[in-house]
Amino acid sequence: MRPPVGMPKLSRRSRILLIVGAVVLGAFLLASQLLGTYVDWLWFGEVGFRSVFTTVLFTRIVLFVSVAVLIGGAVGLSLFIAYRSRPVFVPVAGPDDPVSRYRTAVLSRVRIVGWGIPIAVGLVSGTAAQSEWERVQLFLNSSSFGVTDPEFGHDISFYAFRLPFYEWLVSWAFVAVAGAFFVGLIAHYIFGGIRLAGRGGQLSVPARVQLAVLAGVFVLLYGVSYYLDRFGLLLSTRKDQFNGATYTDLHAVMPAKLILTIIAVICAVAFFVGAFVRNLQIPVIAAVLMVLSSVLLGAAWPLLLEQFSVRPNPIARESQSIERNIAATRQAYGLTPEKVKYTDYPGKSESSQAEVKADKGTIPNIRLLDPNVLAPTFTQQQQRKNFYAFGDKLDIDRYTINGKIQDYIVAVRELNSQGLAENQRDWLNAHLTYTHGDGFVAAPANTVNSAIEDGSGQGGYPNYQVSDLSSKSIFNVEQPRIYFGEKITNYAIVGAAGGQPQEYDTDSSKYTYTGKGGVPIGNWFNRLAFAANEGERNILFSSAIGDDSKIIYNRNPRDRVMKAAPWLTVDADPYPAVVDGRIQWIVDGYTTLQNYPYAQRMSLGETVQDSLPGQPRLPNTQINYIRNSVKATVDAYDGTVTLYAVDEQDPVLKAWRGVFPGLVKGNNEVKPSLREHFRYPEDLFKVQRSLLARYHVDQPGIFFNQNEFWDVPDDPTDESVGTSTATGNREGKLPPYYVVAQLNGQTKPTFQLTSALTGLKREFLAAWVSASSDPDTYGQLNVLRLPTNTQTEGPGQVQNRFFSTPEVTENRTLFNNPNASAVNGNLITLPVAGGLLYVEPIYIQRKDQNAFPQLARVLVSFGNRVGFKATLSEALDQVFGAGAGSNTTNPGQPGGGTTTPGQPPPNPNTGSLSEAAQKAANEMGTAWAKYKKAQADGDYATQGQALKELDEASKRFDQARQAPPPSTGTSTPPTSTPGG
């Protein structure tokens, strides 16, 4: 008989080439990883969060090593035992026996196989395990909730921090045992300990002992898993109506899990006994018992109980579970009675002129400017340069002016990395010349410069307040340069080489960055690192980079917070605010969980999605607990990231502060000037309003029947909602709106986030909810419940009434023509005079690439009456009678601001002027006349060009006078008062 043929062998040269190739590939991958790690290490040092980097890295390394050793060690030990206990003589079936060939190949390379397989398996397992660093750190730093679950009496921290870690340990123990079992099984087969030839095959004693013991350990782990599953039932999603342990879970599944735990222990013992007894029937019987028990107790019995006991009597059976779900959901999402105030509201359809006129808090502050519509208007009128831009969605904030709260549409004129012209897009311009934006732009949200009375194109624009390098405003911005913003995508290299400024600042001046942001690249090692990281050789060889140069990267404020605090879920909409003379980006951070017992689980990304297109969305993760525990600020000039704990009682935040001590400042360290710009976050509000639509109900029977549920209505102003798309009908929920309003019982107008709610699957209004952003009452939710025996029109019905009114239809036909189109603004619902007042601005926009919207008309509805006029005052008078709108803010006031359309430039011809100044003054007059003519002709492109010429002439005039530009507003600076 011929000896078995071995596996083919590689030549010495081939082995050397393979080894060299593997080493080169490994070195390349390692160098790439180390380069990214070094760049991150420098960035974390720049922002002062290096402890985050080191803590996360250390935890990942420990997890990698621990799991790699566990899994690799288990596999290696199994291989070692199988090898050492292999039979001395193994019969060969024939010359072509494939097992014999593999056996020969393995035995000839026993060290490679014995070390290679465990190392490879360990590396893969360690790589997978190191990503779970958050789970491990929360376990090590868990904090008590002070609340226990209603079934087992455990503190919620057990489910939030410890149970996930225990389940993680068990899962990796499963992997280790399963890996060792299958590797041992294959090894024994190859080495001859298991033979399939003959009747029934043959199994050597060492193979039987090893495999039976591993199978027993595996079954024992199943028992541990069954035991832990009992606690996991409190997170059950068996029912569509509510989450948490149901009647079936409590009375069938939970006892079954306990019984299966005991059976698993018995079966494990049977496998251990079978390891040392020749009779294999014992472990086989144990395995069959395990499978049958799982089927009968784990599946059949709960199914029978559900079918014949629960379904015929669902309310009686599930009442306790529903009560627990309601209580836990309110607790988990911050909807407890101390946070939510319910008020019965009459929702009248008739109110008198005197009642409306008496409203001094809401009517004067009704918002007419829509930040989701006016971005093109800001861009065309305030962009100044092609490489500047405003966000696609503007923001809303409030300031206290002369003791009066005022909401503003706010934006920063930031650098647009994609806005450079073709002849500007060389490396030097993109990264060393055009490095920053310029200015903070705001406009009162409740007024415009003038009304469009005849549709001729006059007026309807914001009253701008601009703080930039060439002008001042009431906001007193000390540093208007914007190095960090939402539109900035490129890295910038700052710091003069040779002492000469090289960054573009204005048309007549250059600038050198003096902030503390950025990583030094004056040394050759850092230059080489960043040249490799960015794939740009100019970083290495450019003479424009000197010893004092720094590179600024990761410039988006949201990205900076996400990177500095990876344990936070970061809100999708940062907003700028002027705080103590500096522009700060304010970013909301959430702590979340997905294992709060009995709390309702929801998909975060889907829940916060509304009708506004193109906005960043939160990750579509499952959560059942959320807190806005952290407010972060990012300085727009130097990029400083600061975290503040605004909910220091949040147990999840306490745990993370234990992981990263000293990084999150206390609530008492928030300056009043910053706190008065904190807004209640939109994303959190969207989550809470969707839950309030169901969890305002207290009684289990009503909750189960859902006949008193509410709903978040679709946005009726978005005409694309409900239209067919390639992926189905487009859906868009009504966004919440920031307003300044004064509710019944409130002593002053406050800045609030509001939303209307309709009846479930109905169009009639059911409730109105608002969240306070006032420092004194921050986070308080007010819910106005309308009577169930009346029918108050909801947003969709009001929008239908608007556009079925003859006057509105006629004017929209006039506005929608071949040259222009009408644009719907936000439909805001406000409680006024015991009823609900709806206000919607209508904008017109020319059908031109450079066109931008302007406010043309205001729609108002109360009861079954509609007002449609050029001003809010006139529309209110039309609905309630003459004088009802006397408290509104008329177009043009509150006044002041920089030169805006509809307002002539200040007369510069005062005092003694130089020849250059007089020339610039004449050019200003010419540009203004050009703008007025273009405005009358409806020529928007020429209007934009005239505004640009006017701005340039104004700058030349200021330079000629060699004095700081005059203030653009006459009001006093904002004061720091609560709610301001």
Side-chain angles (χ1 to χ4, degrees):
M1 181 179 293
R2 289 187 303 162
V5 179
M7 297 293 288
K9 293 184 178 182
L10 295 173
S11 66
R12 186 170 182 271
R13 180 181 179 184
S14 298
R15 290 199 302 269
I16 292 175
L17 289 177
L18 283 175
I19 293 172
V20 171
V23 170
V24 170
L25 178 61
F28 179 79
L29 295 174
L30 181 62
S32 176
Q33 186 66 39
L34 290 177
L35 177 63
T37 302
Y38 179 66
V39 169
D40 282 345
W41 183 77
L42 291 173
W43 183 86
F44 278 99
E46 173 211 339
V47 296
F49 281 73
R50 188 160 285 166
S51 62
V52 174
F53 178 85
T54 54
T55 299
V56 173
L57 181 62
F58 176 76
T59 308
R60 286 179 179 270
I61 291 174
V62 170
L63 287 179
F64 176 86
V65 173
S66 300
V67 175
V69 170
L70 171 68
I71 306 301
V75 170
L77 181 61
S78 183
L79 275 174
F80 177 76
I81 294 174
Y83 174 74
R84 292 299 300 268
S85 62
R86 71 190 186 280
V88 176
F89 172 76
V90 181
V92 178
D96 298 322
D97 186 355
V99 178
S100 179
R101 296 180 61 191
Y102 286 115
R103 184 184 309 119
T104 303
V106 169
L107 291 175
S108 64
R109 300 176 178 86
V110 69
R111 289 185 179 274
I112 295 176
V113 174
W115 286 100
I117 292 178
I119 289 175
V121 172
L123 289 176
V124 172
S125 301
T127 302
Q130 54 87 29
S131 62
E132 295 289 343
W133 67 272
E134 293 184 354
R135 189 193 303 256
V136 175
Q137 284 290 3
L138 285 175
F139 169 76
L140 296 175
N141 296 273
S142 62
S143 175
S144 173
F145 277 67
V147 179
T148 59
D149 79 85
E151 182 63 28
F152 298 103
H154 292 311
D155 188 88
I156 301 301
S157 60
F158 171 79
Y159 301 91
F161 306 132
R162 294 195 291 278
L163 182 60
F165 179 73
Y166 298 151
E167 292 174 336
W168 180 79
L169 284 180
V170 171
S171 67
W172 280 111
F174 270 125
V175 172
V177 174
F181 180 87
F182 285 110
V183 167
L185 180 69
I186 295 172
H188 277 294
Y189 177 68
I190 291 176
F191 293 141
I194 300 175
R195 298 186 62 209
L196 302 180
R199 186 178 179 182
Q202 294 180 359
L203 183 65
S204 67
V205 173
R208 185 181 72 244
V209 171
Q210 180 180 350
L211 297 180
V213 168
L214 287 173
V217 174
F218 190 83
V219 174
L220 193 62
L221 287 174
Y222 248 110
V224 176
S225 179
Y226 281 135
Y227 182 79
L228 294 179
D229 286 347
R230 297 169 62 247
F231 305 109
L233 288 174
L234 273 58
L235 306 170
S236 171
T237 57
R238 179 185 297 270
K239 293 289 186 180
D240 295 332
Q241 296 93 333
F242 63 93
N243 293 161
T246 65
Y247 182 88
T248 300
D249 292 323
L250 294 174
H251 295 85
V253 181
M254 192 170 290
K257 294 288 184 182
L258 186 58
I259 296 172
L260 288 172
T261 300
I262 299 171
I263 293 175
V265 173
I266 296 172
C267 291
V269 172
F271 274 100
F272 295 147
V273 171
F276 303 99
V277 177
R278 286 184 174 273
N279 189 353
L280 293 178
Q281 291 181 351
I282 296 177
V284 171
I285 293 173
V288 172
L289 175 63
M290 190 74 184
V291 172
L292 287 177
S293 301
S294 299
V295 172
L296 295 177
L297 295 176
W301 167 235
L303 183 63
L304 291 173
L305 185 66
E306 178 76 19
Q307 185 69 33
F308 296 104
S309 179
V310 177
R311 289 189 179 182
N313 309 285
I315 297 178
R317 292 287 184 262
E318 304 291 12
S319 290
Q320 182 189 55
S321 297
I322 293 174
E323 288 176 351
R324 292 176 173 182
N325 172 254
I326 292 173
T329 301
R330 290 176 176 177
Q331 183 70 37
Y333 289 94
L335 300 176
T336 52
E338 59 269 19
K339 291 289 187 179
V340 183
K341 178 184 177 182
Y342 293 94
T343 304
D344 291 329
Y345 190 71
K348 298 190 300 184
S349 59
E350 296 289 338
S351 292
S352 66
Q353 175 259 13
E355 289 179 289
V356 177
K357 187 175 181 180
D359 188 309
K360 306 292 186 182
T362 299
I363 295 294
N365 293 296
I366 293 177
R367 178 159 65 82
L368 300 178
L369 300 187
D370 187 345
N372 305 305
V373 171
L374 290 176
T377 304
F378 269 59
T379 298
Q380 289 292 333
Q381 296 183 338
Q382 295 296 332
Q383 182 184 19
R384 302 287 174 88
K385 298 293 181 181
N386 62 290
F387 44 81
Y388 291 147
F390 297 98
D392 297 331
K393 173 183 176 295
L394 306 180
D395 291 296
I396 301 178
D397 196 9
R398 78 291 197 189
Y399 293 81
T400 298
I401 309 297
N402 295 330
K404 177 181 177 293
I405 188 172
Q406 172 68 59
D407 53 345
Y408 284 86
I409 306 296
V410 297
V412 292
R413 188 191 295 127
E414 51 185 300
L415 180 71
N416 180 14
S417 304
Q418 308 303 319
L420 295 174
E422 288 295 332
N423 61 348
Q424 296 173 316
R425 291 185 180 177
D426 59 83
W427 179 82
L428 190 69
N429 279 337
H431 300 287
L432 281 84
T433 302
Y434 300 112
T435 59
H436 58 275
D438 172 26
F440 178 84
V441 181
N446 59 344
T447 187
V448 292
N449 63 334
S450 62
I452 298 180
E453 296 292 348
D454 55 4
S456 63
Q458 302 292 330
Y461 296 111
N463 283 321
Y464 297 107
Q465 290 281 344
V466 181
S467 299
D468 58 17
L469 292 169
S470 62
S471 56
K472 303 292 182 182
S473 75
I474 61 174
F475 298 105
N476 286 342
V477 177
E478 298 172 1
Q479 180 52 270
R481 297 177 179 88
I482 310 296
Y483 280 85
F484 297 87
E486 295 177 287
K487 304 287 286 186
I488 306 174
T489 57
N490 284 346
Y491 64 88
I493 298 177
V494 298
Q500 294 297 320
Q502 58 191 12
E503 301 175 51
Y504 174 86
D505 214 30
T506 67
D507 288 341
S508 59
S509 65
K510 294 187 180 297
Y511 180 73
T512 297
Y513 180 72
T514 59
K516 59 183 179 180
V519 172
I521 55 171
N523 64 78
W524 283 100
F525 185 80
N526 279 3
R527 289 180 71 169
L528 179 62
F530 281 100
N533 187 66
E534 299 294 341
E536 179 55 67
R537 64 178 182 274
N538 287 319
I539 296 178
L540 200 59
F541 300 113
S542 175
S543 59
I545 301 176
D547 294 339
D548 296 326
S549 295
K550 296 191 291 185
I551 184 169
I552 300 176
Y553 54 107
N554 293 335
R555 302 171 71 185
N556 185 295
R558 183 172 185 258
D559 293 344
R560 289 178 77 82
V561 175
M562 291 173 65
K563 198 172 184 68
W567 43 276
L568 285 175
T569 299
V570 178
D571 191 88
D573 186 25
Y575 61 97
V578 179
V579 181
D580 297 331
R582 296 186 71 89
I583 300 173
Q584 300 279 354
W585 290 97
I586 300 178
V587 187
D588 288 287
Y590 308 114
T591 52
T592 61
L593 295 172
Q594 58 180 1
N595 42 14
Y596 193 105
Y598 275 104
Q600 190 69 19
R601 184 171 295 188
M602 60 170 46
S603 176
L604 185 57
E606 292 180 3
T607 303
V608 302
Q609 189 168 355
D610 55 32
S611 64
L612 302 181
Q615 298 303 311
R617 300 298 180 191
L618 293 184
N620 203 28
T621 55
Q622 293 289 317
I623 66 165
N624 67 356
Y625 175 95
I626 188 170
R627 289 288 187 276
N628 177 213
S629 301
V630 174
K631 299 280 188 179
T633 62
V634 178
D635 191 286
Y637 180 70
D638 63 27
T640 300
V641 178
T642 308
L643 305 179
Y644 297 97
V646 293
D647 184 359
E648 295 187 285
Q649 302 307 311
D650 175 25
V652 183
L653 177 60
K654 289 180 181 179
W656 284 120
R657 294 181 84 176
V659 179
F660 304 109
L663 290 184
V664 183
K665 295 185 176 181
N667 191 30
N668 59 347
E669 296 186 61
V670 180
K671 294 180 180 179
S673 56
L674 172 61
R675 190 183 300 277
E676 62 191 28
H677 290 289
F678 284 168
R679 306 186 316 188
Y680 199 80
E682 288 184 74
D683 288 335
L684 175 61
F685 184 78
K686 292 174 188 176
V687 169
Q688 291 179 320
R689 73 172 177 178
S690 71
L691 288 166
L692 279 172
R694 289 176 287 169
Y695 287 90
H696 65 279
V697 175
D698 294 311
Q699 300 177 21
I702 298 176
F703 186 96
F704 188 88
N705 292 327
Q706 304 182 7
N707 57 347
E708 291 189 10
F709 279 9
W710 302 332
D711 204 355
V712 179
D714 288 335
D715 184 0
T717 67
D718 186 351
E719 296 177 355
S720 65
V721 170
T723 58
S724 179
T725 66
T727 57
N729 286 342
R730 185 180 182 278
E731 296 182 0
K733 294 299 183 181
L734 184 72
Y737 298 121
Y738 289 104
V739 299
V740 173
Q742 182 176 349
L743 305 182
N744 288 339
Q746 294 181 341
T747 59
K748 62 180 180 181
T750 59
F751 191 62
Q752 310 177 35
L753 184 58
T754 67
S755 178
L757 295 173
T758 58
L760 183 64
K761 303 299 182 182
R762 303 192 68 203
E763 294 294 329
F764 291 105
L765 200 66
W768 183 87
V769 59
S770 72
S772 173
S773 295
D774 187 88
D776 294 337
T777 58
Y778 183 88
Q780 179 68 48
L781 297 176
N782 290 287
V783 181
L784 304 184
R785 293 184 296 200
L786 274 69
T788 56
N789 58 352
T790 61
Q791 293 186 335
T792 303
E793 290 186 337
Q797 293 169 318
V798 169
Q799 187 75 359
N800 183 66
R801 180 180 292 276
F802 278 155
F803 296 115
S804 60
T805 302
E807 183 181 2
V808 178
T809 303
E810 179 183 348
N811 278 271
R812 275 183 63 89
T813 303
L814 176 64
F815 291 146
N816 283 308
N817 57 64
N819 298 319
S821 60
V823 179
N824 298 330
N826 38 216
L827 178 59
I828 296 178
T829 310
L830 296 168
V832 172
L836 277 304
L837 179 71
Y838 290 90
V839 180
E840 179 181 341
I842 301 295
Y843 301 86
I844 57 170
Q845 178 174 335
R846 287 177 58 86
K847 295 179 179 178
D848 181 86
Q849 183 178 0
N850 297 316
F852 48 94
Q854 59 187 128
L855 181 64
R857 293 291 184 269
V858 180
L859 277 164
V860 170
S861 175
F862 191 96
N864 58 1
R865 291 171 293 178
V866 173
F868 182 68
K869 292 294 181 182
T871 67
L872 175 62
S873 176
E874 294 172 326
L876 289 173
D877 288 350
Q878 186 177 2
V879 172
F880 297 102
S886 59
N887 288 330
T888 60
T889 303
N890 294 320
Q893 64 176 136
T898 56
T899 301
T900 59
Q903 294 178 315
N907 182 12
N909 298 307
T910 57
S912 176
L913 296 178
S914 66
E915 181 178 350
Q918 185 63 57
K919 180 181 177 181
N922 293 336
E923 291 173 348
M924 290 169 64
T926 301
W928 177 251
K930 179 180 177 180
Y931 170 78
K932 294 297 292 182
K933 183 178 184 303
Q935 190 181 51
D937 295 339
D939 188 346
Y940 291 91
T942 305
Q943 289 182 47
Q945 180 63 32
L947 285 173
K948 180 179 178 182
E949 294 173 2
L950 178 61
D951 178 63
E952 293 173 348
S954 298
K955 292 179 180 178
R956 290 193 294 272
F957 176 77
D958 293 335
Q959 293 168 1
R961 295 188 64 178
Q962 296 183 351
S967 173
T968 60
T970 58
S971 301
T972 59
T975 58
S976 297
T977 62

